[in-house]
Amino acid sequence: MNSTETRKFQQAFNRFERLLELQGYTTATQGSYCRGIRRFAFWYGKCPHSRITKTDFEAYFSELLKTHSWATIKCDRNGIMRYWELVLECDWPWFDLVKPPIKKVLPDILTQAEISRILDHTTELRCRVFLFTVYTMGLRLDEALHLKPGDINGQTLMVHIRDGKGHKDRLVNLPPN
């Protein structure tokens, strides 16, 4: 990009960052979308504008497929779509241009015997309690690390999980043991 295009892009990019924040996107999503539009702009060699053709996007995503995962490609597509809507104030005309393959993968589930073996080999009581809590309540690591005694209601046998995935709160049943 020449200096004029770089300056033009920086202004549009700064506006994009502000608009994403105003739309309430999480910091992680803002970062992903900004990386995507930056990656596209530098590949394109100019400040992205509404006259970019479907062929340009096909070439970009074809190149991206060679070096990046489907998750990155999907984030780039979503970031470019938001840039189009928020900065250029245009509809994204090629929504179905990039569709990652849908994979149905079952999660690995540990048997009760495997869980017992893990807990039996955990000698430190606080680690054992932590693993038992995470497993029995199905908590994410971050949720378990931020759990406080005040979040546990012994009368209703409910645990208030605060600020979980997607910054959402939820209630989880407290196991009797």
Side-chain angles (χ1 to χ4, degrees), residues 56-120:
D56 293 329
F57 285 113
E58 286 173 1
Y60 171 69
F61 286 116
S62 292
E63 282 295 314
L64 204 61
L65 265 172
K66 297 173 187 171
T67 56
H68 290 77
S69 70
W70 274 109
T72 300
I73 292 166
K74 191 171 79 171
C75 276
D76 279 19
R77 181 201 63 187
N78 291 342
I80 293 168
M81 284 170 46
R82 292 299 162 258
Y83 179 87
W84 244 244
E85 292 170 5
L86 298 174
V87 176
L88 301 179
E89 297 175 358
C90 299
D91 288 332
W92 170 262
W94 309 297
F95 186 78
D96 61 347
L97 180 65
V98 178
K99 281 190 177 176
I102 297 171
K103 287 168 101 177
K104 301 255 180 180
V105 179
L106 293 175
D108 292 331
I109 299 173
L110 300 175
T111 65
Q112 282 186 319
E114 291 170 323
I115 293 297
S116 294
R117 261 197 318 269
I118 290 171
L119 292 173
D120 289 343

Coordinates of all heavy atoms in Angstrom, one line a residue, residues 56-120:
D56 N -12.3 -10.8 -6.6 CA -11.3 -10.4 -5.6 C -11.4 -11.2 -4.4 O -10.4 -11.7 -3.8 CB -11.4 -8.9 -5.3 CG -11.1 -8.0 -6.5 OD1 -10.3 -8.4 -7.3 OD2 -11.6 -6.9 -6.5
F57 N -12.6 -11.4 -3.9 CA -12.8 -12.1 -2.6 C -12.5 -13.6 -2.9 O -11.9 -14.3 -2.0 CB -14.2 -12.0 -2.1 CG -14.4 -10.6 -1.4 CD1 -15.2 -9.7 -1.9 CD2 -13.7 -10.3 -0.3 CE1 -15.4 -8.5 -1.3 CE2 -13.8 -9.1 0.4 CZ -14.7 -8.2 -0.2
E58 N -12.9 -14.1 -4.0 CA -12.6 -15.5 -4.3 C -11.1 -15.8 -4.3 O -10.6 -16.8 -3.7 CB -13.2 -15.9 -5.6 CG -14.7 -16.1 -5.6 CD -15.3 -16.3 -7.0 OE1 -14.5 -16.4 -8.0 OE2 -16.5 -16.4 -7.1
A59 N -10.3 -14.9 -4.9 CA -8.9 -15.0 -4.9 C -8.3 -14.9 -3.5 O -7.4 -15.7 -3.1 CB -8.3 -13.9 -5.8
Y60 N -8.8 -13.9 -2.7 CA -8.3 -13.8 -1.4 C -8.5 -15.0 -0.5 O -7.6 -15.6 0.1 CB -8.9 -12.6 -0.7 CG -8.6 -12.5 0.8 CD1 -7.3 -12.1 1.2 CD2 -9.6 -12.7 1.7 CE1 -7.0 -12.0 2.5 CE2 -9.3 -12.6 3.1 CZ -8.0 -12.3 3.5 OH -7.7 -12.2 4.8
F61 N -9.8 -15.5 -0.5 CA -10.1 -16.7 0.3 C -9.4 -17.9 -0.2 O -9.0 -18.8 0.6 CB -11.6 -16.8 0.5 CG -12.2 -15.8 1.4 CD1 -13.1 -14.9 0.9 CD2 -11.8 -15.8 2.7 CE1 -13.6 -13.9 1.8 CE2 -12.4 -14.8 3.6 CZ -13.3 -13.9 3.1
S62 N -9.2 -18.0 -1.5 CA -8.4 -19.2 -2.1 C -7.0 -19.2 -1.5 O -6.5 -20.2 -1.2 CB -8.4 -19.1 -3.6 OG -9.7 -19.4 -4.1
E63 N -6.4 -18.0 -1.5 CA -5.0 -17.9 -1.0 C -5.0 -18.2 0.5 O -4.1 -18.9 1.0 CB -4.5 -16.5 -1.2 CG -4.0 -16.2 -2.6 CD -2.8 -17.0 -3.0 OE1 -1.9 -17.1 -2.2 OE2 -2.8 -17.6 -4.1
L64 N -6.0 -17.7 1.2 CA -6.1 -17.9 2.7 C -6.2 -19.3 3.0 O -5.7 -19.8 4.0 CB -7.2 -17.0 3.2 CG -7.2 -16.6 4.7 CD1 -5.9 -15.8 5.0 CD2 -8.4 -15.9 5.1
L65 N -7.0 -20.1 2.2 CA -7.2 -21.5 2.5 C -5.9 -22.3 2.5 O -5.8 -23.3 3.2 CB -8.1 -22.1 1.3 CG -9.5 -22.2 1.6 CD1 -10.3 -22.6 0.3 CD2 -9.9 -23.1 2.7
K66 N -4.9 -21.8 1.8 CA -3.6 -22.5 1.7 C -2.8 -22.4 3.0 O -2.0 -23.3 3.3 CB -2.8 -22.0 0.5 CG -3.4 -22.2 -0.8 CD -2.6 -21.6 -1.9 CE -3.4 -21.7 -3.2 NZ -2.7 -20.8 -4.3
T67 N -3.1 -21.4 3.8 CA -2.2 -21.1 4.9 C -2.9 -21.0 6.3 O -2.2 -20.9 7.3 CB -1.4 -19.8 4.7 OG1 -2.4 -18.7 4.5 CG2 -0.5 -19.9 3.5
H68 N -4.2 -20.9 6.3 CA -5.0 -20.7 7.5 C -6.1 -21.7 7.8 O -6.5 -22.4 6.8 CB -5.6 -19.3 7.5 CG -4.6 -18.2 7.6 ND1 -3.8 -17.8 6.5 CD2 -4.2 -17.5 8.7 CE1 -3.0 -16.9 6.9 NE2 -3.2 -16.6 8.2
S69 N -6.5 -21.8 9.0 CA -7.5 -22.8 9.4 C -8.9 -22.2 9.0 O -9.1 -21.1 8.7 CB -7.5 -23.0 10.9 OG -8.0 -21.9 11.5
W70 N -9.9 -23.1 9.0 CA -11.3 -22.7 8.7 C -11.8 -21.7 9.7 O -12.5 -20.8 9.3 CB -12.2 -23.9 8.6 CG -12.2 -24.6 7.2 CD1 -11.7 -25.8 6.9 CD2 -12.8 -24.0 6.0 NE1 -11.9 -26.0 5.6 CE2 -12.5 -24.9 5.0 CE3 -13.4 -22.8 5.7 CZ2 -13.0 -24.7 3.7 CZ3 -13.8 -22.6 4.4 CH2 -13.6 -23.6 3.4
A71 N -11.3 -21.9 10.9 CA -11.8 -20.9 12.0 C -11.3 -19.5 11.6 O -12.0 -18.5 11.8 CB -11.3 -21.3 13.3
T72 N -10.1 -19.4 11.2 CA -9.5 -18.1 10.8 C -10.2 -17.5 9.6 O -10.6 -16.3 9.5 CB -8.0 -18.2 10.5 OG1 -7.3 -18.6 11.7 CG2 -7.4 -16.8 10.1
I73 N -10.5 -18.4 8.6 CA -11.2 -17.9 7.4 C -12.6 -17.4 7.7 O -13.0 -16.4 7.3 CB -11.2 -19.1 6.4 CG1 -9.8 -19.4 5.9 CG2 -12.2 -18.8 5.2 CD1 -9.6 -20.6 5.1
K74 N -13.3 -18.2 8.6 CA -14.6 -17.7 9.0 C -14.6 -16.4 9.8 O -15.4 -15.5 9.5 CB -15.2 -18.8 9.9 CG -16.7 -18.6 10.2 CD -17.3 -19.8 10.8 CE -17.0 -19.8 12.3 NZ -17.7 -20.8 13.1
C75 N -13.6 -16.2 10.6 CA -13.5 -14.9 11.4 C -13.1 -13.8 10.4 O -13.7 -12.7 10.5 CB -12.3 -15.0 12.4 SG -12.9 -15.7 13.9
D76 N -12.3 -14.1 9.4 CA -12.0 -13.0 8.4 C -13.2 -12.7 7.6 O -13.5 -11.5 7.4 CB -10.9 -13.5 7.5 CG -9.5 -13.4 8.0 OD1 -9.4 -13.2 9.3 OD2 -8.5 -13.4 7.3
R77 N -14.0 -13.7 7.2 CA -15.2 -13.4 6.5 C -16.2 -12.5 7.3 O -16.7 -11.6 6.8 CB -15.9 -14.7 6.1 CG -17.2 -14.4 5.3 CD -18.1 -15.6 5.3 NE -18.6 -15.9 6.6 CZ -19.3 -16.9 7.0 NH1 -19.7 -17.8 6.1 NH2 -19.7 -17.1 8.2
N78 N -16.3 -12.9 8.6 CA -17.2 -12.2 9.4 C -16.7 -10.7 9.7 O -17.5 -9.8 9.7 CB -17.4 -12.9 10.8 CG -18.2 -14.2 10.6 OD1 -18.9 -14.4 9.6 ND2 -18.1 -15.1 11.6
G79 N -15.4 -10.6 9.8 CA -14.8 -9.3 10.0 C -15.0 -8.4 8.8 O -15.4 -7.2 8.9
I80 N -14.8 -9.0 7.6 CA -15.0 -8.2 6.4 C -16.5 -7.8 6.2 O -16.8 -6.7 5.8 CB -14.5 -9.0 5.2 CG1 -12.9 -9.1 5.3 CG2 -14.8 -8.3 3.9 CD1 -12.3 -10.2 4.3
M81 N -17.4 -8.8 6.5 CA -18.8 -8.5 6.4 C -19.2 -7.3 7.3 O -19.9 -6.4 6.9 CB -19.6 -9.7 6.8 CG -19.7 -10.8 5.8 SD -20.4 -12.3 6.4 CE -21.8 -11.8 7.2
R82 N -18.7 -7.3 8.6 CA -19.0 -6.2 9.5 C -18.4 -4.9 9.0 O -19.0 -3.8 9.2 CB -18.5 -6.5 10.9 CG -19.1 -7.6 11.6 CD -20.6 -7.4 11.8 NE -21.3 -8.6 12.1 CZ -22.0 -9.3 11.2 NH1 -22.2 -8.9 10.0 NH2 -22.6 -10.5 11.5
Y83 N -17.2 -5.0 8.4 CA -16.6 -3.8 7.9 C -17.4 -3.2 6.8 O -17.7 -2.0 6.7 CB -15.2 -4.1 7.3 CG -14.4 -3.0 6.7 CD1 -13.6 -2.1 7.5 CD2 -14.5 -2.7 5.3 CE1 -12.9 -1.1 6.9 CE2 -13.8 -1.7 4.7 CZ -13.0 -0.9 5.5 OH -12.3 0.2 5.0
W84 N -17.9 -4.1 5.9 CA -18.8 -3.6 4.8 C -20.1 -2.9 5.4 O -20.5 -1.9 4.9 CB -19.2 -4.8 4.0 CG -18.7 -4.7 2.6 CD1 -19.5 -4.7 1.5 CD2 -17.4 -4.7 2.2 NE1 -18.7 -4.6 0.4 CE2 -17.4 -4.6 0.8 CE3 -16.2 -4.8 2.8 CZ2 -16.2 -4.6 0.0 CZ3 -15.0 -4.7 2.1 CH2 -15.1 -4.6 0.7
E85 N -20.7 -3.6 6.4 CA -21.9 -3.0 7.0 C -21.7 -1.7 7.8 O -22.4 -0.8 7.6 CB -22.6 -4.0 7.9 CG -23.1 -5.3 7.2 CD -23.5 -6.4 8.1 OE1 -23.5 -6.2 9.4 OE2 -23.8 -7.4 7.6
L86 N -20.6 -1.7 8.6 CA -20.4 -0.6 9.5 C -19.7 0.6 8.9 O -20.1 1.7 9.1 CB -19.7 -1.1 10.8 CG -20.4 -2.1 11.6 CD1 -19.5 -2.6 12.7 CD2 -21.7 -1.6 12.2
V87 N -18.6 0.3 8.2 CA -17.8 1.4 7.7 C -18.3 1.8 6.3 O -18.4 3.0 6.0 CB -16.3 1.0 7.6 CG1 -15.4 2.1 7.0 CG2 -15.8 0.7 9.0
L88 N -18.5 0.9 5.4 CA -18.9 1.2 4.0 C -20.4 1.4 3.9 O -20.9 1.9 2.9 CB -18.4 0.1 3.0 CG -16.9 -0.1 3.0 CD1 -16.6 -1.2 2.0 CD2 -16.1 1.1 2.6
E89 N -21.1 1.0 5.0 CA -22.6 1.1 5.0 C -23.2 0.4 3.8 O -24.1 1.0 3.1 CB -23.0 2.5 5.2 CG -22.5 3.1 6.5 CD -22.8 4.6 6.7 OE1 -23.4 5.2 5.8 OE2 -22.5 5.1 7.8
C90 N -22.7 -0.7 3.4 CA -23.3 -1.5 2.3 C -23.6 -2.9 2.8 O -23.0 -3.4 3.8 CB -22.2 -1.7 1.2 SG -21.7 -0.2 0.5
D91 N -24.5 -3.6 2.1 CA -24.8 -5.0 2.4 C -23.7 -5.8 1.9 O -23.1 -5.5 0.8 CB -26.1 -5.4 1.8 CG -27.3 -4.8 2.5 OD1 -27.2 -4.5 3.7 OD2 -28.3 -4.6 1.9
W92 N -23.4 -6.9 2.6 CA -22.4 -7.9 2.1 C -23.1 -8.7 1.0 O -24.0 -9.5 1.4 CB -21.8 -8.7 3.2 CG -21.0 -9.8 2.9 CD1 -21.4 -11.1 2.7 CD2 -19.6 -9.8 2.5 NE1 -20.4 -11.9 2.4 CE2 -19.2 -11.2 2.3 CE3 -18.6 -8.8 2.5 CZ2 -17.9 -11.5 1.9 CZ3 -17.4 -9.2 2.1 CH2 -17.0 -10.5 1.9
P93 N -22.7 -8.6 -0.2 CA -23.5 -9.3 -1.3 C -23.1 -10.8 -1.4 O -23.8 -11.5 -2.1 CB -23.1 -8.5 -2.5 CG -21.8 -7.9 -2.2 CD -21.7 -7.7 -0.8
W94 N -22.0 -11.2 -0.8 CA -21.6 -12.6 -1.1 C -21.5 -13.4 0.2 O -20.5 -13.9 0.6 CB -20.2 -12.6 -1.8 CG -20.2 -11.7 -2.9 CD1 -21.0 -11.8 -4.1 CD2 -19.5 -10.5 -3.1 NE1 -20.8 -10.7 -4.9 CE2 -19.9 -9.9 -4.3 CE3 -18.6 -9.8 -2.3 CZ2 -19.3 -8.7 -4.8 CZ3 -18.1 -8.6 -2.8 CH2 -18.4 -8.1 -4.0
F95 N -22.6 -13.4 0.9 CA -22.7 -14.1 2.2 C -22.2 -15.5 2.2 O -21.5 -16.0 3.0 CB -24.1 -14.0 2.9 CG -24.1 -14.5 4.2 CD1 -23.6 -13.7 5.3 CD2 -24.5 -15.8 4.5 CE1 -23.7 -14.2 6.6 CE2 -24.6 -16.3 5.8 CZ -24.1 -15.5 6.8
D96 N -22.6 -16.3 1.1 CA -22.3 -17.7 1.1 C -21.0 -18.0 0.3 O -20.8 -19.1 -0.1 CB -23.5 -18.5 0.5 CG -23.8 -18.0 -0.9 OD1 -23.3 -17.0 -1.4 OD2 -24.6 -18.7 -1.6
L97 N -20.2 -17.0 0.1 CA -18.9 -17.2 -0.6 C -18.0 -18.2 0.1 O -17.4 -19.0 -0.6 CB -18.2 -15.8 -0.8 CG -16.9 -15.9 -1.5 CD1 -17.1 -16.3 -3.0 CD2 -16.2 -14.5 -1.5
V98 N -17.9 -18.1 1.4 CA -17.0 -19.0 2.1 C -17.9 -19.7 3.2 O -18.4 -19.1 4.1 CB -15.9 -18.2 2.8 CG1 -15.0 -19.1 3.6 CG2 -15.1 -17.4 1.8
K99 N -18.0 -21.0 3.0 CA -18.7 -21.8 3.9 C -17.8 -23.0 4.4 O -17.5 -23.9 3.5 CB -20.0 -22.4 3.3 CG -21.1 -21.4 3.3 CD -22.4 -22.1 2.9 CE -23.5 -21.2 2.9 NZ -24.7 -21.8 2.4
P100 N -17.3 -23.0 5.6 CA -16.5 -24.1 6.0 C -17.3 -25.4 6.1 O -18.5 -25.3 6.3 CB -16.0 -23.6 7.4 CG -16.8 -22.5 7.8 CD -17.5 -22.0 6.6
P101 N -16.6 -26.5 5.9 CA -17.3 -27.8 6.0 C -17.8 -28.0 7.4 O -17.2 -27.6 8.4 CB -16.2 -28.8 5.6 CG -14.9 -28.1 5.9 CD -15.2 -26.6 5.7
I102 N -19.0 -28.5 7.5 CA -19.6 -28.8 8.8 C -19.1 -30.2 9.2 O -19.4 -31.2 8.5 CB -21.1 -28.7 8.7 CG1 -21.6 -27.3 8.3 CG2 -21.7 -29.2 10.0 CD1 -23.0 -27.2 8.0
K103 N -18.4 -30.2 10.3 CA -18.0 -31.5 10.9 C -18.7 -31.8 12.2 O -18.8 -30.9 13.0 CB -16.5 -31.4 11.2 CG -15.6 -31.4 10.0 CD -14.2 -31.0 10.3 CE -13.1 -31.8 10.5 NZ -11.8 -31.4 10.7
K104 N -19.2 -33.0 12.3 CA -19.9 -33.4 13.5 C -18.9 -34.3 14.3 O -18.6 -35.4 13.9 CB -21.1 -34.2 13.2 CG -22.1 -33.4 12.4 CD -23.3 -33.0 13.3 CE -24.2 -32.2 12.4 NZ -25.4 -31.8 13.2
V105 N -18.3 -33.7 15.3 CA -17.3 -34.4 16.1 C -17.9 -34.6 17.5 O -18.2 -33.6 18.1 CB -16.0 -33.7 16.1 CG1 -14.9 -34.4 17.0 CG2 -15.4 -33.5 14.7
L106 N -17.9 -35.8 18.0 CA -18.3 -36.0 19.4 C -17.2 -35.7 20.3 O -16.1 -36.0 20.0 CB -18.8 -37.5 19.5 CG -20.1 -37.9 18.8 CD1 -20.3 -39.4 18.9 CD2 -21.3 -37.1 19.2
P107 N -17.5 -35.1 21.5 CA -16.5 -34.8 22.4 C -16.0 -36.1 23.1 O -16.7 -37.1 23.2 CB -17.2 -33.9 23.4 CG -18.6 -34.2 23.3 CD -18.8 -34.7 21.9
D108 N -14.7 -36.0 23.6 CA -14.2 -37.1 24.3 C -14.8 -37.1 25.7 O -14.9 -36.1 26.4 CB -12.7 -37.0 24.5 CG -12.0 -37.2 23.1 OD1 -12.5 -37.9 22.3 OD2 -10.9 -36.6 23.0
I109 N -15.4 -38.3 26.1 CA -16.0 -38.4 27.4 C -15.3 -39.4 28.2 O -15.0 -40.5 27.8 CB -17.5 -38.7 27.3 CG1 -18.2 -37.7 26.5 CG2 -18.1 -38.9 28.6 CD1 -19.7 -38.0 26.1
L110 N -14.9 -39.0 29.4 CA -14.2 -39.9 30.3 C -15.2 -40.8 31.0 O -16.2 -40.3 31.4 CB -13.3 -39.1 31.3 CG -12.3 -38.2 30.8 CD1 -11.6 -37.4 31.9 CD2 -11.2 -39.0 30.0
T111 N -14.8 -42.0 31.2 CA -15.6 -43.0 32.0 C -15.5 -42.7 33.5 O -14.6 -42.0 33.9 CB -15.3 -44.4 31.7 OG1 -13.9 -44.6 32.2 CG2 -15.3 -44.8 30.2
Q112 N -16.4 -43.2 34.2 CA -16.3 -43.0 35.7 C -15.0 -43.6 36.2 O -14.4 -43.1 37.2 CB -17.5 -43.7 36.4 CG -18.8 -42.8 36.3 CD -19.9 -43.3 37.1 OE1 -20.2 -44.5 37.1 NE2 -20.6 -42.4 37.8
A113 N -14.6 -44.8 35.7 CA -13.4 -45.4 36.1 C -12.2 -44.5 35.8 O -11.3 -44.4 36.7 CB -13.2 -46.7 35.4
E114 N -12.2 -43.8 34.7 CA -11.1 -42.9 34.3 C -11.0 -41.7 35.3 O -10.0 -41.3 35.7 CB -11.2 -42.5 32.9 CG -10.9 -43.6 31.9 CD -11.2 -43.2 30.4 OE1 -12.2 -42.5 30.2 OE2 -10.5 -43.6 29.5
I115 N -12.2 -41.2 35.6 CA -12.3 -40.0 36.5 C -11.8 -40.5 37.9 O -11.1 -39.7 38.5 CB -13.8 -39.5 36.6 CG1 -14.2 -38.9 35.2 CG2 -13.9 -38.5 37.7 CD1 -13.4 -37.7 34.8
S116 N -12.3 -41.6 38.3 CA -11.8 -42.1 39.6 C -10.3 -42.3 39.7 O -9.7 -41.9 40.7 CB -12.5 -43.5 40.0 OG -13.9 -43.3 40.1
R117 N -9.7 -42.8 38.6 CA -8.3 -43.0 38.6 C -7.6 -41.6 38.7 O -6.6 -41.5 39.4 CB -7.8 -43.7 37.3 CG -7.6 -45.1 37.5 CD -6.8 -45.8 36.4 NE -7.2 -45.4 35.0 CZ -8.1 -46.0 34.3 NH1 -8.7 -47.0 34.7 NH2 -8.3 -45.6 33.0
I118 N -8.1 -40.6 38.0 CA -7.5 -39.3 38.0 C -7.6 -38.7 39.4 O -6.6 -38.2 40.0 CB -8.2 -38.3 37.0 CG1 -7.8 -38.7 35.6 CG2 -7.8 -36.9 37.3 CD1 -8.7 -38.0 34.5
L119 N -8.8 -38.8 40.0 CA -8.9 -38.3 41.4 C -8.1 -39.1 42.4 O -7.5 -38.5 43.3 CB -10.4 -38.3 41.8 CG -11.3 -37.3 41.0 CD1 -12.8 -37.5 41.4 CD2 -10.9 -35.9 41.3
D120 N -8.0 -40.4 42.2 CA -7.2 -41.2 43.2 C -5.7 -40.9 43.1 O -5.0 -41.0 44.1 CB -7.4 -42.7 42.8 CG -8.8 -43.2 43.2 OD1 -9.4 -42.5 44.0 OD2 -9.2 -44.3 42.7

